[in-house]
Amino acid sequence: MMGAKNIFLTTEGDAWYRRNREKLEETKNFIAAEIIIEFLNRQKSGMGMNGFAWERFKILEVGCSYGYHLAKFCEAFPCQCYGIEPSKEAVEDGSHKYKGLPMQLVQGTGDSLPYEAESMDIVIMGFCMFWMDRNHLLQAYAEADRVLKPKGLLIIYDFDTKLPYVRDNAHSKDVDTFKMDYAKALTALPHYYLMDKTVFCHKGNYFDEDIQERISMQILYKEDFKDAYIRG
C-alpha cells in the first residue's frame, strides 16, 4: 500500500487543497496566525527573548498550504518566510499570489526539509502531523529540530487530545488520521520549554467540548544545550 507521504504528494494534497481553497480565506482560518503574531508582539514589547533576531528573522511553516499564514507574518514583521507543502497546486498558487512578498514555497513533506541546519528562527508545524505516516513522525521531529536555531521557537498546532486517537480519513480510505498531544515528545527533553499553549477549534478561538474538535497551539522555546542541563 502506498504510504501517506506519497499519497499526499501525488493525489490527496491537491485534492485537499481543491476542497478547501475557497474556505481558506475566511477570517476564522487566520486564528493560528493571529495567535502567533500576538505572542511575538508581546515578547518583543516586553523585551523577552533577547537572543532572538527581531531585526530580521526567518520563519518556516511545514504544511503551509498556499502560504496565507506566512503572508500575515510578512505583513506584521521584518521576516523572511519559507513554506513546505505536499500540494503542488497550493505551492504554485501561493507563489503567484504572494510573489511580491519575501516568501519561498516548495513542494515537500516535513520528514525531509531542504534547508540548512540551524537556519530558521521559527519553525511552525501547522496541522500536518496528524496525517503523517507514523514511521515518518520521529524524522519530522528531528528535521524540525535540525533546522531550528538555538533560542528559536518551535510552534506546533494540531488536534489536541489527552489520549492518542486514530480515525479513518473521510476523503481517502488509504490515509488514517492520528490525534494526540504532539508537543509532549519535545517537552520531555530538557532543551525544549513550553512557553505558551492556546486551545481553540476550527469554528473559532474558543474551547470545544467535543474532544475530537479540540486544537491547540503550543509554542516551545529551544534552549541552548549549555543552558538546558545542570552540571552536577
Side-chain angles (χ1 to χ4, degrees):
M1 181 183 295
M2 185 185 296
K5 174 178 177 176
N6 289 330
I7 290 172
F8 271 87
L9 285 171
T10 57
T11 58
E12 181 56 25
D14 285 339
W16 183 94
Y17 178 59
R18 292 177 199 134
R19 289 194 302 270
N20 293 277
R21 179 163 36 197
E22 292 184 3
K23 294 187 293 184
L24 290 174
E25 291 280 6
E26 295 179 7
T27 302
K28 68 179 182 180
N29 287 293
F30 292 105
I31 293 172
E34 290 166 356
I35 292 171
I36 293 170
I37 290 169
E38 190 277 333
F39 174 85
L40 291 176
N41 281 328
R42 191 168 73 244
Q43 295 302 314
K44 185 177 181 181
S45 64
M47 300 302 291
M49 297 172 58
N50 290 327
F52 193 80
W54 292 111
E55 68 283 353
R56 186 70 174 178
F57 55 93
K58 294 183 178 181
I59 302 176
L60 166 64
E61 183 177 14
V62 180
C64 67
S65 185
Y66 68 96
Y68 59 101
H69 281 151
L70 295 175
K72 289 287 187 182
F73 302 141
C74 288
E75 294 169 1
F77 302 110
C79 61
Q80 173 71 45
C81 289
Y82 302 84
I84 187 164
E85 161 63 38
S87 169
K88 183 179 179 181
E89 289 184 18
V91 168
E92 290 174 347
D93 282 358
S95 297
H96 176 72
K97 182 179 179 67
Y98 299 122
K99 62 183 178 181
L101 296 180
M103 180 195 308
Q104 297 177 13
L105 307 182
V106 297
Q107 186 186 23
T109 53
D111 60 301
S112 181
L113 299 177
Y115 308 103
E116 295 182 0
E118 299 186 1
S119 59
M120 301 293 168
D121 299 286
I122 298 174
V123 175
I124 303 169
M125 305 188 81
F127 245 95
C128 59
M129 303 183 82
F130 77 102
W131 61 257
M132 284 184 182
D133 283 321
R134 296 300 90 176
N135 58 350
H136 290 158
L137 187 61
L138 290 179
Q139 184 62 29
Y141 282 120
E143 280 290 273
D145 178 68
R146 179 184 66 83
V147 302
L148 181 62
K149 296 177 182 177
K151 302 183 184 298
L153 300 177
L154 179 56
I155 302 175
I156 298 174
Y157 69 93
D158 214 307
F159 289 110
D160 186 22
T161 60
K162 294 182 71 173
L163 298 175
Y165 280 87
V166 59
R167 305 191 79 186
D168 294 335
N169 186 328
H171 302 288
S172 176
K173 62 181 177 59
D174 296 319
V175 180
D176 288 327
T177 57
F178 301 87
K179 299 181 180 182
M180 57 179 280
D181 181 348
Y182 283 104
K184 187 178 292 186
L186 292 168
T187 55
L189 301 171
H191 63 297
Y192 275 99
Y193 180 82
L194 178 62
M195 294 181 72
D196 192 80
K197 179 173 181 176
T198 303
V199 178
F200 57 103
C201 65
H202 282 303
K203 292 173 285 188
N205 194 357
Y206 58 86
F207 175 77
D208 196 311
E209 292 183 354
D210 183 352
I211 192 171
Q212 298 292 350
E213 296 301 320
R214 296 173 192 171
I215 299 168
S216 74
M217 164 95 55
Q218 301 192 65
I219 301 178
L220 310 181
Y221 179 73
K222 183 179 179 180
E223 300 270 12
D224 205 323
F225 280 123
K226 65 181 177 60
D227 299 322
Y229 289 83
I230 300 173
R231 186 174 295 277

